[in-house]
Amino acid sequence: MLLPLGGTGEIGMNLYLYGYGHGDRREWIMVDCGVMFGDETTPGVEVIVPDIRFIEERKEDLLGIFITHAHEDHIGAIPWIAHRLDVPVYATKFALLLMEHRLEETGWAGDVELIEVKPGSRIRAGQFEVEYVPVTHSLPEPNALAIRTPAGTVVHTGDFKVDEHPVIPPRFSFERLRAIGDEGVEALICDSTNAGKEGRSPSETDVAKSLEEIIAQAPGRVAVTTFSSHVARIKVVAEAARRHGRDVVVAGYAMRRVIEAAQKCGLLDEGLQFLDEEAFGFLPPEKVVLLCTGSQGEPRAALSRIADDIHPRIALEKGDIVIFSSFTIPGNEKAVIGVMNRLALLGVEVIANTPERLVHASGHPRREELAIMYDLVRPKRLIPMHGEPWHMMMHAEFARARGIPEVAQMLDGQMLRIAPGPAEIVGEAVSGRQFVDGRLLVPGEKGPVQKRRRLSFVGIVVVSVALDGKGNIRGPAQIVVEGLPEKTADGQLMEDVLLDAADEALENMGRARRRNDEMVIETLRIAVRRAAVAEWGKKPVVHILVQRV
Ligand SMILES: [Zn+2]
Ligand SMILES: [Zn+2]
């Protein structure tokens, strides 16, 4: 049984449940526990996590959380979710170190049991056996999972590409996947991100070459921004810098933390030096490469502050180069272009990824790579995941065209019986999104954020009136107006106009009707709204407070 609670129908927030058994005796494991990031439609919310009510209600049947790799869309929700489920979290060392940091920051470190898994090893959990199969992707230690149950084996690819020349180990497990395929695989649950793209993703080694060329020829400073977890990219930039007599300065907390974790995992040569921001000002322009966060245009990240020329220790100028060694996650285009424009205004040359100048390669499989995976695993059926509906549709079409016998399409919240086949949707579970709002988790739908969004369009008016028990008006009404235009078209104060409307409506009600609070509230609300529409053409949120004195 497969039940995705996130990641199937959207990019981000990956969380998949696999179940085995019937009814009350069904056991579950969770694969990944990721976040998505908020945008302008979620004011005040930066992090979004899956709604896990379904599994929380059955947490005694949940045996463990198995993490494929350390990207935020796969581990980011651990600090919000794991302590509520009371099960061990399994991951390889690099992911484990990053999760440890996050749990410490959020204060849940003592409440979550983290268990290190060696690449290639197998873990038993109830009727499940989970094998970690190393693949290649855009950060260290990515794994596919071979999940065995008495009903058969499924392969959950996680995020992968087929890179035959990765710059950091491990290598892609061709032999192991083929051997698992030989055993027989009921289903391949497979990354759909680039399923619409023909051909193969370039290798990290190709990217390394072109980055080195740019660094070799640069007359001044070179800054490289990339995803902070992209250790391979960090490594090739640092090595190229060393070969060309430049020191590497790192700006950005997230990237420094990843470098520390990578060093602990032995992924970066001990001879590679990473200097702190303080060193930047002391290095001549032709002797420095800056590695920095902010490839997605994040306003608080190092690069955005450099582009605004407000970074306390780092400044770039005419003759310097900034390389966006990244791709822009859909939704971030405006922010990224904003940073590029501000850099251009400083006279800085901006280099982004193009086919002619390869400064980034995706970590996800294009069609040739998907075909390689199919040929190794030879599944009876394919289930597209890790994609928006359109990506998953293209993936399904491609898989059918490549001769996969059965393709099952599904979305978050649907329960798919994988085997015995044919695969079939057999139920639905509560699913959706929860928003991290300050220190609290709030509902993604019908929660405070919807209200804030509405307020951001129309503002708010609060009117308070004082009445006695007999319906007499006791004192003047008061008004608070936020987010409305200050004056009407003919120059009157908006708040005076709205207050007059409330006063007049209250007068006209008559004493008897004023004894009823609800009637007062409704009558005044309508009057204030009507006045706002007449003057402004929009309906604000209106609240009426009745005090009985
Ligand atoms: Zn992912
Ligand atoms: Zn990933």
Side-chain angles (χ1 to χ4, degrees):
M1 191 76 74
L2 169 61
L3 166 59
L5 293 180
T8 308
E10 71 233 318
I11 300 248
M13 211 174 79
N14 290 282
L15 195 160
Y16 306 86
L17 292 167
Y18 286 91
Y20 175 76
H22 291 284
D24 291 346
R25 303 194 38 210
R26 185 171 291 146
E27 294 179 330
W28 296 93
I29 59 168
M30 184 184 292
V31 172
D32 289 336
C33 188
V35 295
M36 246 169 107
F37 295 102
D39 57 20
E40 66 279 0
T41 66
T42 60
V45 170
E46 285 174 19
V47 173
I48 301 171
V49 304
D51 183 337
I52 58 154
R53 265 175 292 170
F54 173 85
I55 196 66
E56 211 172 6
E57 285 163 11
R58 305 166 171 71
K59 63 179 180 183
E60 62 283 359
D61 301 324
L62 181 69
L63 304 169
I65 303 175
F66 294 82
I67 299 295
T68 60
H69 69 289
H71 274 146
E72 283 292 306
D73 60 322
H74 299 260
I75 64 168
I78 285 287
W80 298 100
I81 285 179
H83 64 90
R84 285 154 59 189
L85 295 172
D86 209 17
V87 291
V89 180
Y90 299 91
T92 53
K93 188 170 179 183
F94 180 71
L96 212 76
L97 288 170
L98 293 182
M99 282 191 285
E100 247 169 34
H101 263 293
R102 298 299 300 276
L103 287 164
E104 273 160 27
E105 282 167 9
T106 49
W108 294 109
D111 300 275
V112 178
E113 186 188 1
L114 298 175
I115 299 180
E116 187 182 332
V117 177
K118 296 283 176 217
S121 66
R122 302 179 182 202
I123 299 110
R124 274 217 145 273
Q127 300 273 21
F128 293 92
E129 187 196 71
V130 181
E131 177 180 347
Y132 274 69
V133 184
V135 289
T136 43
H137 183 41
S138 48
L139 90 179
E141 299 176 1
N143 295 280
L145 302 180
I147 303 169
R148 295 183 177 84
T149 70
T153 301
V154 300
V155 173
H156 181 102
T157 65
D159 297 3
F160 77 100
K161 70 190 281 188
V162 182
D163 192 342
E164 296 188 55
H165 306 284
V167 305
I168 48 171
R171 299 200 157 269
F172 189 89
S173 306
F174 290 99
E175 295 75 24
R176 193 64 210 127
L177 286 166
R178 186 175 296 118
I180 293 165
D182 288 342
E183 291 167 26
V185 170
E186 290 294 329
L188 180 67
I189 295 86
C190 191
D191 185 349
S192 306
T193 317
N194 282 343
K197 295 188 177 143
E198 296 293 347
R200 271 185 95 144
S201 315
S203 164
E204 273 305 313
T205 307
D206 303 330
V207 178
K209 275 184 212 138
S210 91
L211 284 173
E212 176 149 7
E213 255 171 51
I214 298 170
I215 291 170
Q217 290 164 9
R221 301 176 185 89
V222 179
V224 181
T225 183
T226 188
F227 300 100
S228 57
S229 58
H230 208 320
V231 174
R233 208 60 62 72
I234 291 169
K235 180 178 160 170
V236 302
V237 169
E239 285 175 348
R242 184 167 59 178
R243 279 196 287 274
H244 296 281
R246 291 174 180 250
D247 283 317
V248 177
V249 173
V250 177
Y253 174 68
M255 195 174 278
R256 272 203 300 279
R257 207 171 52 183
V258 165
I259 290 171
E260 270 166 39
Q263 285 168 331
K264 280 189 192 162
C265 295
L267 296 165
L268 292 168
D269 173 358
E270 279 173 22
L272 290 178
Q273 296 274 330
F274 297 92
L275 305 177
D276 286 339
E277 294 171 1
E278 287 72 25
F280 188 85
F282 299 102
L283 293 165
E286 70 284 1
K287 292 285 174 206
V288 63
V289 170
L290 175 73
L291 268 168
C292 59
T293 55
S295 68
Q296 299 305 307
E298 306 94 318
R300 290 199 301 253
L303 187 61
S304 180
R305 289 186 292 153
I306 294 167
D308 284 336
D309 211 5
I310 54 166
H311 195 288
R313 282 174 287 275
I314 296 169
L316 297 178
E317 59 189 5
K318 194 167 165 49
D320 297 341
I321 295 174
V322 172
I323 305 171
F324 279 76
S325 186
S326 55
F327 111 107
T328 302
I329 296 171
N332 296 343
E333 294 86 351
K334 248 190 188 169
V336 171
I337 289 172
V339 171
M340 289 177 170
N341 282 331
R342 273 141 45 215
L343 288 167
L345 287 173
L346 292 176
V348 172
E349 184 187 350
V350 175
I351 298 177
N353 191 45
T354 58
E356 298 74 42
R357 243 179 175 175
L358 189 73
V359 293
H360 178 66
S362 167
H364 297 277
R366 295 191 187 179
R367 291 184 162 187
E368 270 180 37
E369 294 158 89
L370 289 173
I372 291 170
M373 182 61 90
Y374 302 166
D375 293 345
L376 291 169
V377 175
R378 289 153 283 150
K380 289 185 193 155
R381 48 188 82 78
L382 181 118
I383 303 158
M385 59 136 181
H386 203 286
E388 293 176 1
W390 178 55
H391 301 121
M392 297 195 302
M393 190 179 78
M394 289 189 290
H395 192 175
E397 278 168 17
F398 177 68
R400 283 192 197 101
R402 288 287 309 192
I404 302 275
E406 191 189 329
V407 177
Q409 286 180 267
M410 65 186 308
L411 290 169
D412 289 344
Q414 291 181 324
M415 244 185 260
L416 182 86
R417 193 193 59 224
I418 297 172
E424 197 185 346
I425 306 263
V426 292
E428 294 233 353
V430 183
S431 70
R433 296 174 183 185
Q434 287 189 297
F435 292 162
V436 176
D437 193 17
R439 303 178 53 186
L440 302 176
L441 272 187
V442 301
E445 279 150 43
K446 296 185 185 142
V449 179
Q450 276 69 24
K451 191 69 172 215
R452 292 212 286 270
R453 201 160 60 206
R454 174 155 167 67
L455 288 175
S456 75
F457 289 110
V458 296
I460 184 166
V461 178
V462 180
V463 176
S464 163
V465 295
L467 302 168
D468 66 17
K470 293 179 186 150
N472 296 306
I473 299 170
R474 303 290 297 267
Q478 308 214 20
I479 188 165
V480 177
V481 176
E482 293 282 4
L484 273 69
E486 196 190 347
K487 288 181 179 170
T488 65
D490 48 17
Q492 291 174 277
L493 281 178
M494 185 68 77
E495 62 177 44
D496 290 350
V497 173
L498 300 182
L499 191 58
D500 287 349
D503 278 337
E504 194 187 323
L506 194 63
E507 290 281 348
N508 291 344
M509 279 185 81
R511 210 160 59 136
R513 291 175 66 225
R514 286 201 296 259
R515 284 187 201 139
N516 181 328
D517 283 6
E518 249 130 69
M519 226 174 251
V520 173
I521 289 169
E522 203 39 41
T523 309
L524 265 62
R525 184 161 54 204
I526 290 169
V528 171
R529 274 194 159 197
R530 199 171 282 159
V533 170
E535 296 296 340
W536 183 31
K538 292 172 71 171
K539 280 185 198 161
V541 172
V542 177
H543 289 293
I544 309 295
L545 308 176
V546 179
Q547 296 181 65
R548 292 287 169 187
V549 291

